[in-house]
Amino acid sequence: WTAVILTGLLLQSTIFAQVKLAGAKPELMYLITVVLAMLEGPSSGAIGGFTAGMAQDFLLNHPTGITALALTLVGYAVGMIRQYIVTPSPLLPVLLVAGATAGGILFYGIVAFLLGQLSVGFGFLARTAVLSALYNAALTPILYPVLRRVAEASRAKKVFRW
């Protein structure tokens, strides 16, 4: 998953940084964290979210720790929620990614505001959260199958001995 996180950061800081929709860009770290939490559970989601958040904070010159906190909570929450959802709907990843992205960005904004790091208004923050959630929801059908294959390939193979 380290390679997935680094690739996501590279894409987010180069290609997707130039493509904006009404001032919002996709948040690939949220998408990766949510998919990891859906596929591997709450502990892997929290660890992956913390790793992705710290990498994003350090590499993209954000206030250190706020993104890590937001992504850790998003990864854990989605992993816990996923345990109680039994429907195999193909819309489930799209809805979870959209909801978790919007919630995570709003949580990030609230924490940044409390720490005096928020430089925009709450209206702009809410609009950015909704647009980034829609952006991530549009990217989920493309990236989810790829990330699912990575998850399946990274799992240990079970060996049965007779």
Side-chain angles (χ1 to χ4, degrees), residues 8 21 23 25 33 35 40 51 53 63-64 74-75 104 128 132 135 140 146 149-150 155 157 162:
L21 176 66
K25 61 185 187 320
T33 300
V35 171
E40 301 295 329
T51 305
T64 306
V74 163
T128 303
S132 292
Y135 226 143
T140 300
V146 175
R149 288 211 177 184
V150 169
R155 290 188 191 122
K157 306 285 188 264
W162 298 94

Side-chain angles (χ1 to χ4, degrees), residues 42-103:
S43 61
S44 294
I47 291 169
F50 179 78
T51 305
M54 287 305 284
Q56 182 172 345
D57 286 342
F58 285 130
L59 294 178
L60 300 181
N61 200 19
H62 290 160
T64 306
I66 301 175
T67 309
L69 174 64
L71 285 173
T72 301
L73 292 177
V74 163
Y76 184 77
V78 169
M80 289 300 289
I81 290 169
R82 182 61 179 113
Q83 293 177 355
Y84 298 106
I85 299 174
V86 293
T87 180
S89 171
L91 287 178
L92 181 65
V94 174
L95 295 176
L96 279 176
V97 165
T101 299

